[in-house]
């Protein structure tokens, strides 16, 4: 029987939660009948019934319902800005001011902070709520906080940086990123040293390849003018298509920067959009479906985690928090590159201090196994597992001779979840891509930034893609075994970008970057974000030039106006509301020491986190010997396993 869902919602977050469940086969009924039914409304609510369901297994609400009136046997998932309880419950807020509270706005921009375009926080909260609906069990009461969802998806774990002795993330714009071409904008992403070296070679500056300062993001920021002059001297003489051809040959992640109109013209996206209301095309569901929406318990489910960077590890981190036995597989020769990102310079075992690695790998066990030489050890692990998750480009598994056919031959009941950047088919099948690439080509970058400046990447797509892959995994666990689930990053992000795309198609007016309600305050680099209806409203409250930030925030909130201080990522996770909800949990890492780490954006009776992130190869003996019964004498002698990086 299909999961029966009653939806009482007004926000995008609540509507998207219901959409995810409806697309997965749930019977969703909405109570509201008097809404303005825009094309975007139809995107969120197509396929849902209207009225009142006779019976329901799950209630989704974001209107502050009196839960005492809800039948005891119904699982209730509530969504709100800060949570239904605590000192900030009921405080006025919206997507814009929550970006300031969570540190997202404070991480982006140069002279002034910049808000991310679109409603990334609402989509993230809605996806978490859909996951909670499937995994909290019958009769549960779930209280999802949008702020906490945004701290997990838009903050880059800046609150872990000072705990790990790393320099805190500063407000910045990536270099290179969105740059002008002869006929538009081209987007780059150089997250590895090799990609940046290849980029310098491409733009004709091999003389910079040994420049230690330019090799770092901070160094490029210091020499921003010099660096961009050289980049633009090259890019503006070439078309987007010409640059893309060269970048692809050098394996540099690059993409055309699309608008909400031109994104529909990208050849690779031909099958990603489907006919919707009145012939308007909108994004299809962001994974290839198997299974159905239903209550699922992942405790005891064993997951082979062959993911790296952020999107894949965030999906398996969520499964680990929900109780799955997640075993992270790395290589001593090629560990997860996120271990090396912003790690503590000069420290012994410095690769164990990466903040984003800690944020996305808590709750997991880890082995370090060289592939393909150690494939027989991987085979034995796959044989006793339920799920395998990977986020390589499709050609990587083929090169390792780990195709789905081989994996299913080892374990016919295995669920294989694949998270390639651009999917398993199409002209961009083997194109590398990261969050920045997704945002550049999906139109999210186009609507982020100041009106008179180039587009800017929001830097929030990795964990949002991970959320969708985790949801797809839960749905698959309710279906037939021995399947491949395709959850491409780009399709999750196209869904998140849907509002601007659909509105542009409906009105013919291309949404772009707009002026933002961010105001300088007294002090050094102090800013206020406010969602006032007009400048006159602010003047009427007596707000003069460069007011006191925190006093002004409290004054605006007292008048019911959403406002927030623009916090840095490091500041954002310390406030009385998060302490009340116990958002952070202390765990002791064997090398990094005590750390306050985030769980999921809704509290439960027991902690979310069972263990800190694994050190490299920490559980080789525990898993390969104790679980699989493997004598490790020969594998160690052959260098098939290890506990330290080899390069």
């Amino acid at each position: 029987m299909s999961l029966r869902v009653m939806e009482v919602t007004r926000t995008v977050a609540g509507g998207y939660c219901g959409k995810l469940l409806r697309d997965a086969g749930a019977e969703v009924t909405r109570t509201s009948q008097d809404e303005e039914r825009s094309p975007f409304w139809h995107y969120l609510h197509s396929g849902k019934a209207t009225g009142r369901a006779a019976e329901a297994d799950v209630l989704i609400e974001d209107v502050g319902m009196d839960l005492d009136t809800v039948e005891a046997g119904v699982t209730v998932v509530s969504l709100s800005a800060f949570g239904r309880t605590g000192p900030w419950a009921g405080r006025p807020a919206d997507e814009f001011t929550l970006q300031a509270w969570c540190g997202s706005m404070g991480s982006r921009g140069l002279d002034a902070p910049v808000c991310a375009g679109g409603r990334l926080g609402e989509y993230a909260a809605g996806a978490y709520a859909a996951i909670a609906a499937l995994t909290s069990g019958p009769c549960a009461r779930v209280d999802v906080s949008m702020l906490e969802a945004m701290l997990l998806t838009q903050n880059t774990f800046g609150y872990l940086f000072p705990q790990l002795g790393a320099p805190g993330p500063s407000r910045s714009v990536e270099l290179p990123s969105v740059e002008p071409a002869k006929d538009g904008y081209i987007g780059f992403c150089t997250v590895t040293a090799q990609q940046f070296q290849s980029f310098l070679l491409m733009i004709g500056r091999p003389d910079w390849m040994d420049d230690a300062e330019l090799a770092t993001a901070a160094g490029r920021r210091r020499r921003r003018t010099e660096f961009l002059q050289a980049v633009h001297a090259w890019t503006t003489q070439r078309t987007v298509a010409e640059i893309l051809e060269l970048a692809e040959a050098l394996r540099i992640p690059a993409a055309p920067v699309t608008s909400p109109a031109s994104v529909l013209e990208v050849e690779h996206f031909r099958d990603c959009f489907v006919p919707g209301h009145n012939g308007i095309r909108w994004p299809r569901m962001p994974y290839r479906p198997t299974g159905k929406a239903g209550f699922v318990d992942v405790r005891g489910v064993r997951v082979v985690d062959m993911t790296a960077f952020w999107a894949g590890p965030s999906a398996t981190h969520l499964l680990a928090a929900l109780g799955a036995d997640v075993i992270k597989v790395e290589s001593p020769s090629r560990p997860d590159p996120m271990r090396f990102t912003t790690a503590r310079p000069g420290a012994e075992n410095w690769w164990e201090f990466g903040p984003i690695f800690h944020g996305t790998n808590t709750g997991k066990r880890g082995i370090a196994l060289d592939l393909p030489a150690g494939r027989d050890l991987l085979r034995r692990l796959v044989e006793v597992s339920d799920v395998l998750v990977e986020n390589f480009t499709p050609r990587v598994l083929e090169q390792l001779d780990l195709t789905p056919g081989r994996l299913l031959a080892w374990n016919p009941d295995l669920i294989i979840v694949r998270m390639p950047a651009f999917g398993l088919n199409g002209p961009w099948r083997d194109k590398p891509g990261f969050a920045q690439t997704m945002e550049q080509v999906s139109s999210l970058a186009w609507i982020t930034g100041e009106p008179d400046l180039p587009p800017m990447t929001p830097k929030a797509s990795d964990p949002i893609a991970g959320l969708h892959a985790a949801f797809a995994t839960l749905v698959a666990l309710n279906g037939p075994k021995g399947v491949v689930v395709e959850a491409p990053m780009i399709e999750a992000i196209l869904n998140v970008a849907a509002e601007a795309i659909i509105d542009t198609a409906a009105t013919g007016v291309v949404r772009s970057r707009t002026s933002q309600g961010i105001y300088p305050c007294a002090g050094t680099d102090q800013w206020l974000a406010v969602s006032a209806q007009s400048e006159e409203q602010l003047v009427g409250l007596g707000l003069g030039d460069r007011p006191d930030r925190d006093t002004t925030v409290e004054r605006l909130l007292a008048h019911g106006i959403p406002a927030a201080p623009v916090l840095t990522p490091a500041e954002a996770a310390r406030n009385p509301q998060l302490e009340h909800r116990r958002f952070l949990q202390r765990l002791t890492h064997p090398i990094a020491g005590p750390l306050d780490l985030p769980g999921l954006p809704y509290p439960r009776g027991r902690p979310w986190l069972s263990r800190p992130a694994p050190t490299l190869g920490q559980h080789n003996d525990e898993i390969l010997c104790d679980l699989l019964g493997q004598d490790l004498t020969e594998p160690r002698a052959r260098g098939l396993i290890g506990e330290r990086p080899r390069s």
Side-chain angles (χ1 to χ4, degrees):
M1 184 175 66
S2 299
L3 192 71
R4 299 165 300 183
V5 179
M6 173 64 72
E7 182 186 318
V8 185
T9 67
R10 295 175 184 161
T11 68
V12 170
Y16 192 63
C17 173
K19 172 180 169 52
L20 284 171
L21 296 172
R22 172 66 189 89
D23 287 347
E27 297 176 3
V28 181
T29 303
R30 284 181 55 79
T31 59
S32 300
Q33 302 182 54
D34 56 353
E35 300 161 296
E36 179 184 351
R37 300 196 172 189
S38 66
F40 179 62
W41 184 96
H42 283 280
Y43 162 77
L44 285 178
H45 303 305
S46 288
K48 300 175 185 177
T50 303
R52 182 170 290 278
E55 297 183 17
D57 305 301
V58 175
L59 168 68
I60 306 164
E61 71 89 18
D62 60 16
V63 298
M65 287 181 62
D66 179 0
L67 301 188
D68 290 338
T69 65
V70 180
E71 294 183 12
V74 177
T75 293
V76 179
V77 180
S78 298
L79 298 103
S80 59
F82 299 105
R84 289 176 61 103
T85 65
W88 289 9
R91 179 179 273 198
D94 59 14
E95 168 87 27
F96 179 69
T97 60
L98 286 171
Q99 286 195 25
W101 282 118
C102 81
S104 167
M105 191 181 294
S107 70
R108 188 182 306 105
L110 292 172
D111 297 328
V114 173
C115 175
R119 307 200 209 192
L120 305 181
E122 291 209 49
Y123 276 96
Y128 273 116
I131 288 167
L134 298 186
T135 58
S136 296
C139 312
R141 294 291 185 268
V142 181
D143 181 10
V144 177
S145 159
M146 189 168 158
L147 172 63
E148 292 171 29
M150 293 167 75
L151 280 164
L152 288 162
T153 56
Q154 292 192 40
N155 182 284
T156 66
F157 299 102
Y159 41 92
L160 295 181
F161 281 56
Q163 299 183 56
L164 289 158
S170 58
R171 192 167 67 247
S172 64
V173 173
E174 291 181 322
L175 299 171
S177 183
V178 175
E179 313 301 345
K182 194 174 185 178
D183 58 347
Y185 286 109
I186 179 77
F188 299 106
C189 176
T190 55
V191 298
T192 70
Q194 181 59 55
Q195 289 164 355
F196 184 67
Q197 294 275 300
S198 297
F199 177 82
L200 294 178
L201 187 64
M202 182 179 70
I203 67 169
R205 292 307 302 261
D207 55 305
W208 278 350
M209 295 178 72
D210 294 325
D211 190 316
E213 185 176 31
L214 286 179
T216 68
R220 292 196 288 278
R221 286 196 293 269
R222 287 191 293 270
R223 293 166 60 182
R224 179 174 182 271
T225 300
E226 175 193 6
F227 180 75
L228 288 182
Q229 284 177 346
V231 173
H232 295 170
W234 188 86
T235 59
T236 56
Q237 301 304 307
R238 292 161 177 81
T239 65
V240 169
E242 290 169 343
I243 297 171
L244 286 175
E245 183 177 0
L246 290 169
E248 183 172 349
L250 292 169
R251 302 295 294 169
I252 303 167
V257 178
T258 66
S259 73
S262 62
V263 65
L264 291 163
E265 302 169 4
V266 176
E267 179 188 1
H268 185 79
F269 298 163
R270 183 177 54 205
D271 296 328
C272 297
F273 289 88
V274 295
H277 179 68
N278 285 343
I280 292 175
R281 294 175 65 79
W282 58 44
R284 65 182 176 182
M285 59 188 296
Y287 60 93
R288 304 289 74 73
T290 64
K292 61 182 179 180
F295 292 130
V296 59
D297 186 353
V298 301
R299 287 174 296 181
V301 172
R302 182 169 294 127
V303 179
V304 179
D305 178 1
M306 296 183 67
T307 68
F309 288 102
W310 192 355
S314 68
T316 50
H317 165 265
L318 201 154
L319 297 174
L322 293 169
D325 177 17
V326 177
I327 299 173
K328 185 175 182 69
V329 180
E330 299 178 81
S331 165
S333 301
R334 296 177 66 87
D336 185 340
M338 221 34 121
R339 286 189 178 275
F340 310 132
T341 303
T342 324
R344 183 186 293 179
E348 185 178 2
N349 299 318
W350 59 272
W351 56 87
E352 301 293 355
F353 291 86
I356 297 177
F357 183 88
H358 281 275
T360 56
N361 288 287
T362 51
K364 305 176 185 179
R365 298 191 287 172
I367 62 174
L369 169 68
D370 258 345
L371 293 173
R375 192 170 56 204
D376 188 58
L377 293 174
L378 179 67
R379 173 186 61 79
R380 298 186 61 182
L381 179 59
V382 167
E383 288 173 345
V384 297
S385 298
D386 305 290
V387 177
L388 183 145
V389 185
E390 62 89 14
N391 69 331
F392 306 116
T393 55
R395 65 189 184 89
V396 172
L397 288 191
E398 297 167 2
Q399 291 172 344
L400 294 174
D401 196 16
L402 294 173
T403 61
R406 180 174 291 279
L407 294 170
L408 291 172
W410 292 346
N411 183 347
D413 292 331
L414 189 68
I415 295 171
I416 304 170
V417 180
R418 306 193 68 179
M419 299 176 61
F422 291 103
L424 299 176
N425 300 289
W428 286 0
R429 174 184 185 268
D430 291 318
K431 186 181 179 69
F434 295 84
Q436 298 90 325
T437 323
M438 306 300 111
E439 292 161 358
Q440 291 157 359
V441 79
S442 68
S443 81
L444 279 179
W446 184 270
I447 61 174
T448 298
E450 299 287 353
D452 56 345
L453 293 176
M456 192 178 298
T457 55
K459 298 187 293 188
S461 294
D462 277 317
I464 289 177
L467 274 171
H468 287 80
F471 180 81
T473 304
L474 297 173
V475 172
L477 286 168
N478 263 333
K481 304 299 184 283
V483 296
V484 176
V485 179
E486 181 186 1
M489 281 186 69
I490 187 57
E491 298 209 39
I493 306 313
L494 287 172
N495 273 263
V496 171
E499 183 176 14
I501 297 170
I502 292 169
D503 286 352
T504 294
T507 65
V509 178
V510 180
R511 185 183 296 188
S512 191
R513 300 171 293 288
T514 60
S515 298
Q516 308 181 20
I518 303 173
Y519 302 91
C521 296
T524 302
D525 202 24
Q526 299 288 290
W527 301 85
L528 161 72
V530 55
S531 292
Q533 295 178 351
S534 66
E535 291 289 338
E536 290 74 17
Q537 187 178 27
L538 293 177
V539 173
L541 290 170
L543 302 182
D545 184 45
R546 300 186 70 85
D548 176 270
R549 186 189 72 175
D550 295 343
T551 299
T552 303
V553 167
E554 293 303 322
R555 188 174 181 181
L556 290 165
L557 292 173
H559 282 80
I561 299 174
V566 178
L567 302 177
T568 68
E571 294 172 325
R574 298 293 181 184
N575 65 58
Q577 180 68 10
L578 298 176
E579 291 174 8
H580 170 83
R581 289 170 57 88
R582 298 181 181 177
F583 174 67
L584 298 177
Q585 177 188 336
R586 176 153 295 191
L587 295 173
T588 300
H589 187 269
I591 292 175
L595 298 172
D596 292 328
L597 296 153
L600 300 186
Y602 49 98
R604 66 174 181 178
R606 62 186 187 278
W608 287 115
L609 307 179
S610 58
R611 62 176 80 230
T615 62
L616 183 62
Q618 179 178 350
H619 302 100
N620 284 342
D621 288 356
E622 181 178 311
I623 292 167
L624 299 176
C625 293
D626 300 346
L627 175 63
L628 303 181
Q630 173 71 46
D631 183 343
L632 296 184
T633 304
E634 182 184 359
R636 276 210 165 89
R638 294 175 56 197
L640 299 183
I641 60 174
E643 287 79 26
R644 295 178 63 86
R646 294 215 179 102
S647 60

